[in-house]
Amino acid sequence: MPNASLIHVACFAVGALVGGGVATVVSSRTPTPAPRPPPVLDLDRKGDAKIATSVPAASAVLKYGHPGPVPDFLVRKAYTATYDRRLRHPAWTAEHLTLASLGKSPVAPASEADRSRSTFIEDESLPTMFRAKLQDYFKSGYDRGHMVPAADAKLSQEAMNETFLLSNIAPQVGVGFNRHYWAYVEDWCRRLTKSFSDVYVFTIPLYLPHKDPDGKWRVNYEVIGSPPNIAVPTHFAKVVLASRPSSPSTPDILEVSTGAFVLPNAIIHDDASLESFVTPVDTVERAAGLTLFSDDLKHASKHICKTTKCEVIVRRFDEAQKRPEVRRTVSAPR
């Protein structure tokens, strides 16, 4: 399993590969900085969040059509996402978790959503030629991994069903990752709602380079399906922003915490520390080509591991269904 330092180097290398050549060409003159894209998510002092949906104006050159790439912007009951037509999985997903959204608020009505009534389906809102297909996963050796987990969508049965659309799915290693450590991280995100009034979660598939023996950096990834159709990410990132009133006397002034974790799409042992996967938000943004948060917000926020415990609870969900006594707790956020 790659350690955190290797993941950091790999993330940095993405930015270096993309930006290094350009920097060399323009280093002899003062460049005009390009306008910074708006952040995907920003908060005001009252905690109101907005997701950017701006689209550049069309050029006259595109008189006969815009070739793309087209980010399919998907607004669901429990999440928002963009779909990557080339890789056939989400580019990113975003959620807003609260006790109420998870059906844990004492004043909220009990949720009747039942995972057993949901089934994986192809997203017919996407063009057929760009869709992920159910057949692509057949005997692929990978799980259909939720980017937004079903357990985060208990608002209604419809909301939960939408998490089973293949536009919310990416290929993940099953035993040791999707069914285990990745599930522990998803559970940790949900438990943050016990300490914070609002929790925003981004899930981002990544393709990070590794250094080969010849000293060169390369990105290698599998493509599943027959014919090959869906790319298999090398890593996944969870980026969180959590807020709560700074004090009872100032409920409108928020304490904001942020943090990012990058995990390899591989078997991770249960005893691995969640903090070993901590990665700067800027590094994830550079690797993914995204602007998640504004600079002001990042500078004003505290690191999530300073304001709560970044530790997972190990629950063997698959084994517990057969043997309820199989459960080992490591720790939990306060």
Side-chain angles (χ1 to χ4, degrees), residues 228-247:
N229 191 43
I230 304 174
V232 181
T234 64
H235 295 73
F236 291 92
K238 283 284 188 188
V239 183
V240 298
L241 184 152
S243 66
R244 59 190 173 194
S246 57
S247 71

Side-chain angles (χ1 to χ4, degrees), residues 191-306:
R191 288 186 290 110
L192 289 175
T193 59
K194 297 178 181 179
S195 304
F196 297 91
S197 54
D198 295 277
V199 178
Y200 299 88
V201 182
F202 286 92
T203 304
I204 307 166
L206 294 173
Y207 293 81
L208 302 183
H210 64 274
K211 195 172 186 179
D212 282 336
D214 62 4
K216 295 183 179 180
W217 291 86
R218 294 182 175 88
V219 179
N220 296 323
Y221 59 90
E222 189 175 346
V223 182
I224 63 172
S226 181
N229 191 43
I230 304 174
V232 181
T234 64
H235 295 73
F236 291 92
K238 283 284 188 188
V239 183
V240 298
L241 184 152
S243 66
R244 59 190 173 194
S246 57
S247 71
S249 61
T250 56
D252 292 336
I253 299 177
L254 297 179
E255 174 192 280
V256 177
S257 301
T258 58
F261 306 84
V262 175
L263 288 72
N265 189 8
I267 294 173
I268 299 176
H269 296 298
D270 284 353
D271 58 1
S273 166
L274 179 58
E275 289 199 42
S276 69
F277 301 107
V278 168
T279 305
V281 173
D282 285 343
T283 303
V284 174
E285 290 180 323
R286 174 164 39 190
L290 301 172
T291 303
L292 297 174
F293 310 136
S294 67
D295 288 339
D296 289 344
L297 191 153
K298 283 184 280 191
H299 293 153
S301 66
K302 300 177 181 179
H303 195 277
I304 192 75
C305 295
K306 300 293 185 183

Side-chain angles (χ1 to χ4, degrees), residues 159-198:
M160 186 169 287
N161 290 346
E162 287 179 338
T163 68
F164 283 81
L165 289 165
L166 291 191
S167 54
N168 178 49
I169 304 298
Q172 290 186 323
V173 169
V175 175
F177 189 65
N178 177 53
R179 305 176 203 177
H180 300 115
Y181 205 91
W182 183 251
Y184 311 156
V185 176
E186 292 173 333
D187 174 65
W188 175 78
C189 292
R190 287 189 289 273
R191 288 186 290 110
L192 289 175
T193 59
K194 297 178 181 179
S195 304
F196 297 91
S197 54
D198 295 277

